[in-house]
Amino acid sequence: MHINKMTIDPAKSIPAFYAGQSIFLTGPTGFLGKVFIEKVLRSCPDVREIFLLMRPKKGLSINERLEKILNLQLFDKLREERPSNFKKLIPISGDVSEKGLGLSAVDKQILVERVTIVIHAAASVRFNDTLKYAIFANTRATRDICILAQSMKNLKALVYVSTAFAHVNNLFTEEKAYPPIADWQKMIDVAESLDEHTLKVFTAKCLDYAPNTYIFSKNLAESIIQEYSSFLPCAIVRPPIVTSSIKEPVPGWIDNIYGPIGFFIGCGKGVIQIGCCNKYVHENLIPVDIVIKVMLVVSWKRGLTSFSTDSNLLVLNCTNEKCTTFQYDIKMVFSVANEVPFEGIVWTPNVILTDNYIVFYILTILLHILPAILIDLILKFSGRPPMLVRLMKKVYVANRAVSYFSFREWKFSNTNQLALMSSIPPDNRDMFSFDYSDYDLREYIKNSIIGVKRFLLYEDLNRLDAARSHGKRYKYITVFECIYLSLWLKPSSLLVYCG
């Protein structure tokens, strides 16, 4: 049944607020973007349209890319409940790394005339991006979004998806704007005027306390939103590490191997045997569907508030207050993986966590590189291409890259988060509440592993018995691993590894 926006007060109904709204979404092909599309079309069925900023890729046009995305299992529930709503998706050709978002004059005018809500979720999240590309994709794009939004005739809300780690120099991050690391205007000018080589020379100095170009560029982007909030109804949402869905549209949905997801898969398959982190540091992970609900509720709240030049910038830390340590999470993953094992494990699932770089380097040689060399030789002599040494080098680099975050712990204020949660209309809480404080962590991890097997690795859940039998054969290897390591490690380290 459709919502009659003439009879239902938008302040008392989130779906009623979105009825008739035209949304402009950046990053629709990303993890967050896909789940956002699904949630809006299913839970806010009377939304007018969603413009999707997309670029052609791998020989596919934007329409072909959209069609491929909509064929994902993520949209099965929507396909069943509201199939006609797919017609509300309008792909717009563009690229956040290009000046002016790469928009044509015609498309720009359409957006100016019709868009009422902007969700800027696009970002390059790679830690090793060049400074130039990170500034273009994450900082300049945010400026250009704000410039475009200024021309929009009926804008109600502009929501920027930042990161909880945009201000890593503050061990306690409040829900407010912070002074930027550098002048964003000057940094955009520098990125546009200097070549890659020259910029690379100055990168370390430019970054200051930021550990990588991603954090640096996102920090600057927040200062842009802060500046434009004097003219626009802006809000900032800061999620930490986004992981598989807890509930919607299905438990365990995931389509991206990155960060902790890649690490846990590697551990579960026995590929990764050593992790560079402080085992007692708490991970701040949050399910993707929780983030989407926060974004929708923030946009609703911002859109209901009459805007003036005196309006405060709404900032919300979308973080998890129920964090667990790396050590706890790894043990839980291994425990659940005994019930729902991965297929084709290559070694006994086991991992040593260390915050000592020297130990990490030595163990990488012993547990990753030397076995990889041996396996690659076997592959080469059997006529197959060697690949494991190259993979292990990437694992080492990735481990070191994220060690800045896995060695440190941040705390986050959640005053605005709690206030926003309490403002959700009672009739909408089942659909939009982002309170998951009572969730079962083990059940969530189990659903996440099932999701990885289904949506990422395409493993058949009917083959679990075969996977368990395969895994049991590798348990005997643990004895030989312990003998091997005993030649190199002190007894206390050996006990940690061999249990």
Side-chain angles (χ1 to χ4, degrees):
M1 184 175 72
H2 281 203
I3 294 168
N4 186 340
K5 61 180 178 178
M6 298 300 293
T7 58
I8 301 178
D9 183 358
K12 297 178 180 178
S13 169
I14 294 173
F17 167 78
Y18 281 98
Q21 303 294 348
S22 294
I23 300 172
F24 178 42
L25 172 67
T26 68
T29 61
F31 184 33
L32 276 175
K34 292 171 193 165
V35 182
F36 180 88
I37 292 168
E38 196 279 338
K39 177 64 176 175
V40 173
L41 293 182
R42 184 167 49 81
S43 300
C44 305
D46 291 312
V47 66
R48 180 184 178 185
E49 59 206 352
I50 307 177
F51 294 100
L52 310 173
L53 186 70
M54 300 175 66
R55 60 186 172 91
K57 188 178 180 183
K58 296 179 180 178
L60 297 177
S61 68
I62 57 173
N63 287 304
E64 289 169 333
R65 287 192 73 189
L66 179 57
E67 184 179 353
K68 188 176 179 181
I69 288 170
L70 297 181
N71 284 330
L72 293 171
Q73 289 173 280
L74 170 70
F75 296 96
D76 284 352
K77 190 173 183 180
L78 177 63
R79 225 182 320 274
E80 181 183 329
E81 295 179 3
R82 306 184 187 278
S84 62
N85 271 8
F86 287 115
K87 296 176 183 177
K88 298 183 178 186
L89 299 175
I90 305 171
I92 296 284
S93 184
D95 188 340
V96 291
S97 66
E98 293 182 16
K99 197 167 186 178
L101 306 172
L103 289 168
S104 69
V106 173
D107 287 340
K108 182 179 177 182
Q109 190 57 37
I110 291 172
L111 296 175
V112 166
E113 294 288 338
R114 287 159 61 172
V115 168
T116 57
I117 295 170
V118 175
I119 306 292
H120 182 29
S124 175
V125 299
R126 292 186 297 269
F127 289 175
N128 61 348
D129 273 336
T130 64
L131 183 60
K132 180 183 282 287
Y133 186 80
I135 291 292
F136 286 173
N138 296 341
T139 307
R140 188 178 67 181
T142 304
R143 180 204 65 184
D144 292 344
I145 284 286
C146 290
I147 292 172
L148 178 64
Q150 275 188 299
S151 304
M152 291 176 177
K153 298 180 179 180
N154 300 296
L155 185 70
K156 295 180 181 293
L158 190 166
V159 177
Y160 173 61
V161 183
S162 183
T163 170
F165 307 107
H167 307 282
V168 290
N169 59 320
N170 297 287
L171 293 180
F172 180 74
T173 303
E174 297 182 65
E175 292 172 303
K176 68 177 186 179
Y178 284 91
I181 297 174
D183 185 312
W184 62 265
Q185 291 175 312
K186 288 181 180 178
M187 287 310 306
I188 291 174
D189 291 341
V190 166
E192 290 177 336
S193 58
L194 296 182
D195 59 80
E196 289 278 16
H197 176 73
T198 306
L199 265 177
K200 192 173 182 179
V201 173
F202 290 105
T203 294
K205 183 173 178 60
C206 289
L207 296 190
D208 197 354
Y209 60 78
N212 52 57
T213 56
Y214 168 68
I215 296 298
F216 179 72
S217 57
K218 295 291 278 186
N219 176 284
L220 298 187
E222 277 204 11
S223 67
I224 294 172
I225 296 295
Q226 179 186 3
E227 192 164 317
Y228 275 88
S229 66
S230 299
F231 318 102
L232 299 168
C234 296
I236 295 174
V237 174
R238 294 179 181 144
I241 302 166
V242 183
T243 53
S244 54
S245 63
I246 194 168
K247 181 180 178 182
E248 294 189 58
V250 292
W253 166 259
I254 185 79
D255 78 336
N256 207 327
I257 300 178
Y258 71 101
I261 301 299
F263 181 73
F264 290 143
I265 292 173
C267 292
K269 282 187 171 283
V271 175
I272 296 177
Q273 298 278 314
I274 174 71
C276 189
C277 70
N278 182 331
K279 66 182 77 173
Y280 303 113
V281 162
H282 290 78
E283 287 188 282
N284 207 304
L285 312 175
I286 192 161
V288 62
D289 47 336
I290 298 299
V291 180
I292 298 306
K293 289 177 182 179
V294 169
M295 290 162 58
L296 287 170
V297 177
V298 164
S299 181
W300 165 74
K301 193 70 175 178
R302 180 75 275 186
L304 288 177
T305 307
S306 298
F307 176 73
S308 70
T309 54
D310 296 327
S311 297
N312 291 325
L313 171 64
L314 175 59
V315 181
L316 189 136
N317 290 333
C318 178
T319 50
N320 187 349
E321 299 303 312
K322 191 179 176 182
C323 299
T324 49
T325 64
F326 282 99
Q327 180 172 253
Y328 183 89
D329 289 344
I330 285 290
K331 285 183 177 179
M332 185 72 78
V333 167
F334 285 147
S335 172
V336 174
N338 286 329
E339 293 179 37
V340 192
F342 290 111
E343 294 181 11
I345 66 168
V346 299
W347 204 256
T348 312
N350 232 330
V351 66
I352 298 175
L353 302 178
T354 179
D355 56 3
N356 185 308
Y357 283 126
I358 296 174
V359 171
F360 174 66
Y361 181 79
I362 293 171
L363 289 178
T364 296
I365 299 296
L366 296 176
L367 295 175
H368 285 178
I369 302 301
L370 293 180
I373 291 172
L374 178 60
I375 293 171
D376 273 359
L377 283 173
I378 295 171
L379 289 173
K380 190 173 182 179
F381 285 125
S382 63
R384 287 175 289 179
M387 60 176 182
L388 213 54
V389 171
R390 186 171 67 252
L391 174 62
M392 288 308 176
K393 286 180 179 178
K394 289 182 179 179
V395 168
Y396 177 80
V397 171
N399 241 313
R400 287 298 301 265
V402 301
S403 64
Y404 180 90
F405 302 94
S406 59
F407 279 39
R408 295 168 175 82
E409 191 171 313
W410 290 268
K411 301 292 184 183
F412 301 93
S413 167
N414 67 343
T415 304
N416 291 347
Q417 184 187 54
L418 294 175
L420 188 70
M421 198 183 307
S422 65
S423 72
I424 297 172
D427 291 344
N428 293 160
R429 283 178 186 160
D430 284 347
M431 196 179 293
F432 293 99
S433 175
F434 43 88
D435 178 14
Y436 66 115
S437 56
D438 60 346
Y439 77 111
D440 185 325
L441 179 59
R442 196 175 198 283
E443 184 69 17
Y444 174 65
I445 290 177
K446 183 176 180 179
N447 287 333
S448 296
I449 289 177
I450 291 172
V452 165
K453 287 170 68 66
R454 285 180 63 194
F455 306 123
L456 285 180
L457 304 178
Y458 306 108
E459 295 181 1
D460 189 344
L461 293 175
N462 294 319
R463 297 199 299 260
L464 288 179
D465 287 340
R468 289 189 191 100
S469 298
H470 178 77
K472 284 179 182 177
R473 291 197 293 269
Y474 278 85
K475 287 187 177 179
Y476 298 108
I477 298 176
T478 304
V479 177
F480 297 102
E481 286 179 282
C482 292
I483 294 171
Y484 171 55
L485 287 173
S486 68
L487 301 173
W488 302 92
L489 297 178
K490 59 185 180 181
S492 59
S493 300
L494 189 62
L495 284 171
V496 169
Y497 185 72
C498 300

